[in-house]
């Protein structure tokens, strides 16, 4: 297959688009389509080489093919990976090291796309500091293709048994992969980022390049003007995706056809057109030949430069940090191509011996793995915090008055247990649905405080909402453990219970599973109340993490009045939907959101916890939503409660209580132990709203004990108490 410099020019365009997007350069909101350009180019080139080998030798030398890929890709990828992990471990907070090592391990094994899909990471919403090796996801997909594709081609040729030309057989195989993968990609939900990182959702892009390589008719005999039009249209399509698409665009699916088909039109036009001639200019070819190295280096450097500036106390604006990172990336790309990539790729002994090439690749991976083991042994945020001589508690809530605050004397949290940042965990709850799951388990499965209760004659309370409702579940569970309160919880990831159309900000996809889950939950609560009345439904939510919208697919945007109008309809619809339960409703306001991981910050400053304090005012969520909920609160059946002062009693908000309890588990969720400590205050807050007035009073249970203490467990088989 003859070398085409214009294809290197296409690679240069692709890497520039990706870098512009990652660097947040205005005008490139959809620059992530550069990855799709790479996929299409890879499919075309790799399959073209395989076809040429088949036509010359009658088959595919699979080991030799793999050896070429190993020499080309693995050594440099291992060098960048080890360098990134070493620098990241030195500059990042200690608590971030285990995740960095785990991400790097999956990248080393070329399965990082599966890891990120499983973690529901949305590429379009991830900053470089979320994972310094996130960009290895696309390399993982390509390597998976390189492993499977020659085997699939060899198998298809064996089954051919002389029927039809090899190109026809390969075209049928490629077309089948394109159809199956594109159909899956278009139909799959992108709610959790799964489709974006999925091998199955991306294979069609590479396979379409393969189909062009084996089936497209060359345009060398067509008029130059026509070829120029085709190439120009293709290049404009690829560039249009980078400009028109954005973080809110559901992707990939059929929308990825714009850059993929555009790229293949440029390739199919042939090297003689004006557009292809421009792409073959020396500056673009030089950059294209280093595009692999530049892709590897630019992403971690965009994250490491700000980390280094912060560590050394330097003031670096975003443009300056980006400029430094990109200059360093280009320099390292040029050096690593000259010192690592090309020498290994063209080494005579390696070229002559596929087995030796594979051994060199395996050796590079082993060395990288040993480096990861070394980093994993570094401290990882488990250093105890220095809380020596804190003096008076500057963050304590006013001491309880037993006469005016019965909830505060009914519930006694376990003694605070000072923890290290590594111990600050997210609250858990049994009935938790992810962004895909639409199940609403039965009440017996969602009961807090155990299924066997000696006394549940007090108020029956149900907690519903998203993860910011879930973080109150440990507090409510302790209340249920130590009183006669009967408590339940149903929560779903990022799902407002308020009945409004929402679009996931991460993917731009309408959150259909939330809209399906919500009425199922309402029906479940109605059926539950028919069996035994529900006294109180507590609704928690994060500030506007999703984009509100209309059923027509339009987003509300940022207009305050439009946002309040949509939210007002949603709140009213939810109140009406819950009315058949006969329960009173309490809307919980959101807690302050630090905007940075409190445990990671503390792991970096174990001797100075005040360095992680933050101002409460700027950390509050969207107050427009709370304003609407306060309007809906009539003080009779609907109430609103401000939880901000519970989470942060003072301003600035101290990240740790004087007893050593860390308040937050990440950048916006309360930590599980802190939620438990707030149990008396939560019960008092519900009492203070008036929502519990005239209900069966909460009273202590004699057998109560802190969660996990066997003294508080009742005999198995006692069963649920009868309905009141």
């Amino acid at each position: 297959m003859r070398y085409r410099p214009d294809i290197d020019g296409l690679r240069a365009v692709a890497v520039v688009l990706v870098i512009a997007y990652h660097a947040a350069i205005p005008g490139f909101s959809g620059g992530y389509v550069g990855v799709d350009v790479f996929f299409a180019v890879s499919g075309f080139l790799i399959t073209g080489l395989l076809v040429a080998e088949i036509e010359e030798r009658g088959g595919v030398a699979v080991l030799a093919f793999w050896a070429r890929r190993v020499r080309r890709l693995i050594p440099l990828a291992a060098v960048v990976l080890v360098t990134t992990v070493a620098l990241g471990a030195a500059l990042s907070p200690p608590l971030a090291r285990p995740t960095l090592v785990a991400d790097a391990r999956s990248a080393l094994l070329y399965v990082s796309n599966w890891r990120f899909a499983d973690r529901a990471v949305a590429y379009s919403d991830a900053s470089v500091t979320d994972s310094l090796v996130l960009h290895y996801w696309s390399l993982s997909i390509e390597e998976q293709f390189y492993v499977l594709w020659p085997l699939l081609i060899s198998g298809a040729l064996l089954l051919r048994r002389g029927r039809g030309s090899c190109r026809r057989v390969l075209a049928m195989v490629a077309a089948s992969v394109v159809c199956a993968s594109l159909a899956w990609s278009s139909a799959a939900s992108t709610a959790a980022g799964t489709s974006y990182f999925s091998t199955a959702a991306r294979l069609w892009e590479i396979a379409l390049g393969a189909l062009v390589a084996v089936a497209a008719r060359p345009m060398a005999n067509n008029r130059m003007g026509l070829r120029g039009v085709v190439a120009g249209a293709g290049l404009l399509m690829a560039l249009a995706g980078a400009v028109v698409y954005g973080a809110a665009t559901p992707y990939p699916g059929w929308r990825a056809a714009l850059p993929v088909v555009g790229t293949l039109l440029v390739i199919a036009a042939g090297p003689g057109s004006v557009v292809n001639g421009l792409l073959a200019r020396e500056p673009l070819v030089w950059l294209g030949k280093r595009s692999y190295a530049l892709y590897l280096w630019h992403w971690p450097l965009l994250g490491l430069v700000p980390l280094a500036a912060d560590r050394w106390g330097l003031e670096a604006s975003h443009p300056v940090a980006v400029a430094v990172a990109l200059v360093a990336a280009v320099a390292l790309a040029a050096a690593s191509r000259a010192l690592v990539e090309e020498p290994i790729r063209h080494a005579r002994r390696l070229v002559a011996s596929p087995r030796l090439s594979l051994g060199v690749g395996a050796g590079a991976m082993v060395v990288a793995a040993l480096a990861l083991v070394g980093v994993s042994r570094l401290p990882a945020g488990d250093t105890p915090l220095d809380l020596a001589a804190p003096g008076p508690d500057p963050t304590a809530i006013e001491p309880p008055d037993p006469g005016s605050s019965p909830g505060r004397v009914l519930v006694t949290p376990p003694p605070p247990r000072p923890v290290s940042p590594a111990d600050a965990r997210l609250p858990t709850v049994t009935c938790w649905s992810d962004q895909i799951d639409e199940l609403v388990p039965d009440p017996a499965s969602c009961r807090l405080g155990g299924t066997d209760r000696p006394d549940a004659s007090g108020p029956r309370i149900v907690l519903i909402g998203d993860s910011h409702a879930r973080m109150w579940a440990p507090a409510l569970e302790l209340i249920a453990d130590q009183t006669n309160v009967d408590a339940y919880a149903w929560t779903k990831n990022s799902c407002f219970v308020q009945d409004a159309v929402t679009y996931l900000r991460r993917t731009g996809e309408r959150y259909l599973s939330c809209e399906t889950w919500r009425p199922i939950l309402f029906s479940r609560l109605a059926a539950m109340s028919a069996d035994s009345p529900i006294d109180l439904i507590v609704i928690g939510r994060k500030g506007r993490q999703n984009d509100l919208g209309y059923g027509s697919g339009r987003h509300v945007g940022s207009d305050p009045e439009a946002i309040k109008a949509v939210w007002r309809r949603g709140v009213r619809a939810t109140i009406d939907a819950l009315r058949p339960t006969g329960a009173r409703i309490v809307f919980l306001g959101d807690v302050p959101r630090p905007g940075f991981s409190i445990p990671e910050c503390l792991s970096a400053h174990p001797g100075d916890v005040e360095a992680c304090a933050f101002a409460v005012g700027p950390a509050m969520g969207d107050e427009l939503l709370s304003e609407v909920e306060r309007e809906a609160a009539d003080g009779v059946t609907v109430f609103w409660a401000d939880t901000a002062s519970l989470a942060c009693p003072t301003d600035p908000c101290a990240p740790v209580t004087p007893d050593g309890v860390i308040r937050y588990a990440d950048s916006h969720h309360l930590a599980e132990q802190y939620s438990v400590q707030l149990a008396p205050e939560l019960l008092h807050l519900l009492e203070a709203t008036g929502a519990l007035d005239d209900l069966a009073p909460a009273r202590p249970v004699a057998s109560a004990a802190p969660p996990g203490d066997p003294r508080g467990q009742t005999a198995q088989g006692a069963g649920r108490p009868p309905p009141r």
Side-chain angles (χ1 to χ4, degrees), residues 460 486 525-535 581 720-724:
R460 174 173 275 198
D486 195 19
L525 296 179
M528 178 181 173
S529 65
D531 172 62
S532 184
I534 300 173
D535 296 306
T581 66
R720 283 187 59 190
R724 298 189 301 280

Side-chain angles (χ1 to χ4, degrees), residues 85-86 88-105 311 372 375-383 600 603:
V85 172
L91 297 173
S92 299
L95 193 59
R97 289 170 184 161
T99 300
L100 175 60
V101 170
D103 290 347
R105 187 185 305 118
R311 172 61 63 89
L372 296 184
V375 173
S376 69
R377 296 182 181 277
L378 296 174
D382 51 2
T383 303
E600 286 188 7
S603 73

